[in-house]
């Protein structure tokens, strides 16, 4: 993988460009993809964003989402776009398998893949150019850096700015996680100077729940949360019939895993959601327990040291038991935190 800087001088020549991100894109995946989309359009490139799957309703307000191609719904068109793209930007993931059913077409596409990402252990051999930096708060911050370093700060439209802010805001937990560096705050100040309307973004993301989603959260916290104080660990398991009962859609479970981390003493939180086709796990930690390593070792996953995910095809109860075994295997580290 050659340095991302090598493409700065190539930006002026119009090309066919695809931008994609990980399946079930979150605020950072969608925000960075659309932020880059709005920037690249100013050069006259032919740009299309393809999402490997659908995305949460609370992201629909973002400028440009109406033009995003859902790979699972429009596979034929998306495959053609991938085949003919000169450049394929891969944002907020670093292993092609994170694009699920799109993986095969993405791997076979003849164009150059370009990585911009902040996760651990990138498959660098799969990308022509790119930048991978695990110290960055978000991929959206990296897109902002890319725009500034390539000399395009004045090309950032208000749409572009709102999208970038969404990515940085969601991936930093509204500027509270440790990766929220001084440069993140400088970025926000710069975006404010350029017209950012931050409260519009906060309202669209956080005050945009359906009533069902609130009642679902109440049910989950009352009935589906187990706390293992001895291991400083909390686990939520969500059966499929509960998702159906509350009419839960893509993205509605996002953020739930953070609630148990607010319990005194809890250092590891996990949520296991039975999505039917698979059991999806999300891990969060505080105080240094490395959930990237944990997700890789036990659940075929990965991510960051303090936020990661994985998946399993075993039944929900079995996955829960496997997690409890893994938790006990890590008892020495998990139990050692003192408060
Ligand atoms: P979330 O729990 O919000 O889905 O994901 C937390 C972090 O872990 C995100 O940065 C996400 O990209 C990453 N992640 C989630 N699931 C997986 C997975 O199955 N494999 C890998 N490699 N990363 C994942
Ligand atoms: Mn991210």
């Amino acid at each position: 993988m050659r340095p991302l800087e090598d493409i700065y001088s190539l930006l002026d020549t119009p090309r066919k460009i695809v931008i994609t991100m990980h399946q079930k894109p979150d605020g950072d995946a969608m925000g960075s993809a659309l932020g880059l989309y709005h920037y690249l359009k100013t050069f006259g490139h032919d740009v299309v964003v393809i999402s490997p799957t659908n995305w949460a309703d609370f992201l629909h307000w973002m400028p440009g989402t109406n033009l995003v191609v859902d790979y699972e719904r429009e596979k034929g068109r998306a495959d053609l776009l991938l085949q003919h793209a000169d450049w394929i930007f891969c944002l907020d993931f670093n292993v092609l398998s994170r694009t699920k059913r799109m993986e095969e077409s993405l791997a076979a596409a003849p164009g150059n893949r370009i990585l911009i990402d902040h996760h651990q252990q990138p498959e660098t051999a799969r990308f022509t150019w790119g930048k991978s930096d695990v110290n960055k708060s978000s991929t959206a911050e990296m897109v902002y850096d890319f725009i500034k370093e390539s000399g395009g700060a004045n090309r950032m439209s208000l749409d572009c700015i709102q999208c970038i802010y969404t990515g940085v805001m969601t991936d930093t937990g509204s500027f509270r996680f440790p990766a929220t560096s001084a440069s993140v705050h400088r970025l926000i100040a710069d975006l404010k100077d350029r017209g950012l309307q931050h409260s519009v973004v906060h309202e669209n993301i956080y005050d945009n729940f359906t009533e069902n989603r609130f009642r679902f959260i109440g049910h989950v916290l009352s009935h589906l949360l187990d706390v293992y104080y001895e291991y400083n660990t909390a686990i939520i398991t969500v059966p499929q019939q509960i998702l159906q009962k509350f009419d839960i859609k893509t993205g509605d479970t996002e953020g739930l895993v953070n609630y148990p981390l607010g319990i005194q003493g809890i250092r590891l939180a996990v949520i296991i959601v039975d999505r039917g086709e698979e059991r999806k796990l999300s891990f969060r930690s505080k105080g240094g327990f490395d959930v990237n390593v944990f997700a890789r070792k036990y659940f075929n996953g990965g991510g960051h040291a303090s936020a990661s995910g994985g998946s399993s095809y075993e039944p929900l109860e079995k996955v829960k038991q496997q997690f409890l075994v893994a938790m006990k295997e890590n008892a020495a580290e998990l139990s050692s935190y003192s408060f």
Side-chain angles (χ1 to χ4, degrees):
M1 184 170 85
R2 300 203 288 274
L4 186 61
E5 293 80 56
D6 288 3
I7 72 166
Y8 294 170
S9 61
L10 309 176
L11 284 172
D12 283 325
T13 311
R15 286 166 218 277
K16 287 194 170 60
I17 298 180
V18 164
I19 302 172
T20 191
M21 68 300 245
H22 59 77
Q23 63 138 335
K24 303 282 177 194
D26 56 7
D28 188 35
M30 191 59 99
S32 56
L34 288 172
L36 183 63
Y37 167 86
H38 291 299
Y39 175 60
L40 293 175
K41 286 292 273 184
T42 67
F43 291 87
H45 298 296
D46 185 355
V47 195
V48 180
V49 179
I50 303 178
S51 170
T53 63
N54 65 349
W55 53 89
D57 282 352
F58 61 81
L59 297 176
H60 281 325
W61 64 275
M62 291 174 74
T65 35
N66 55 324
L67 300 171
V68 176
V69 176
D70 174 347
Y71 185 81
E72 290 185 332
R73 287 179 58 177
E74 292 186 75
K75 182 173 172 358
R77 181 173 157 221
D79 278 340
L80 278 176
L81 288 163
L82 285 165
Q83 262 165 40
H84 292 111
D86 302 309
W87 287 356
I88 304 172
F89 280 91
C90 298
L91 303 188
D92 206 35
F93 70 98
N94 61 21
V95 288
L96 301 196
S97 59
R98 292 281 286 136
T99 61
K100 224 178 166 187
R101 294 189 181 89
M102 201 176 89
E103 179 180 4
E104 206 179 309
S105 301
L106 181 59
N112 291 300
R113 282 184 295 270
I114 305 173
L115 178 73
I116 303 181
D117 178 67
H118 65 143
H119 294 94
Q120 312 244 1
Q121 289 136 294
E123 280 178 345
T124 48
R126 312 294 292 263
F127 303 95
T128 311
W129 295 287
K131 185 161 188 156
S132 161
D133 186 348
V134 296
N135 295 315
K136 285 289 175 184
S137 66
S138 51
T139 302
E141 181 188 356
M142 299 178 75
V143 165
Y144 170 85
D145 293 345
F146 171 76
I147 292 172
K148 282 206 94 172
E149 287 168 18
S150 58
N154 291 330
R155 291 175 182 262
M156 280 192 288
S157 60
L158 184 58
D159 284 352
C160 175
I161 285 170
Q162 300 289 95
C163 292
I164 289 176
Y165 183 78
T166 303
V168 181
M169 181 193 85
T170 52
D171 251 30
T172 57
S174 299
F175 317 106
R176 58 179 286 221
F177 297 150
T180 314
S181 59
S183 43
V184 168
H185 288 286
R186 278 191 285 270
L187 168 163
I188 305 303
D190 183 37
L191 296 186
K192 278 304 286 179
D193 284 341
R194 294 174 189 277
L196 168 70
Q197 296 169 337
H198 67 276
S199 52
V200 171
V201 179
H202 284 259
E203 277 173 31
N204 274 308
I205 296 284
Y206 296 122
D207 302 341
N208 210 353
F209 285 22
T210 56
E211 180 186 336
N212 275 359
R213 190 178 176 199
F214 259 115
R215 296 197 186 280
F216 168 70
I217 293 171
H219 181 88
V220 166
L221 297 181
S222 294
H223 303 290
L224 303 176
L225 168 69
D226 294 316
V227 183
Y228 296 85
Y229 286 105
E230 199 186 335
Y231 301 93
N232 302 312
T233 296
I235 175 170
I236 293 172
T237 38
V238 187
Q240 228 195 336
Q241 71 265 29
I242 296 296
L243 298 178
Q244 283 156 358
K245 180 177 170 194
F246 288 91
D247 193 23
I248 289 307
K249 305 254 166 36
T250 296
D252 283 347
T253 53
E254 205 171 305
L256 256 182
V257 66
N258 293 312
Y259 284 91
L261 273 190
I263 300 173
Q264 273 181 355
I266 295 305
R267 285 295 180 261
L268 170 62
V270 58
I271 182 168
I272 314 173
V273 181
D274 188 349
R275 283 196 187 156
E277 56 189 39
E278 63 177 0
R279 261 52 61 207
K280 191 78 190 107
L281 299 99
S282 286
F283 305 100
R284 297 292 185 272
S285 70
K286 283 196 307 203
F289 184 75
D290 191 331
V291 288
N292 168 50
V293 171
F294 186 84
R296 270 170 210 277
K297 181 165 176 196
Y298 297 101
F299 295 102
N300 191 31
H304 311 284
S306 55
S308 70
S311 56
S312 170
Y313 294 101
E314 300 291 350
L316 185 63
E317 192 50 37
K318 182 154 183 210
V319 182
K320 181 177 181 181
Q321 293 310 319
Q322 286 170 335
F323 171 77
L324 293 177
V325 169
M327 174 184 81
K328 287 172 187 166
E329 269 180 43
N330 287 268
E333 192 178 346
L334 285 169
S335 308
S336 70
Y337 299 117
S338 53
F339 306 99

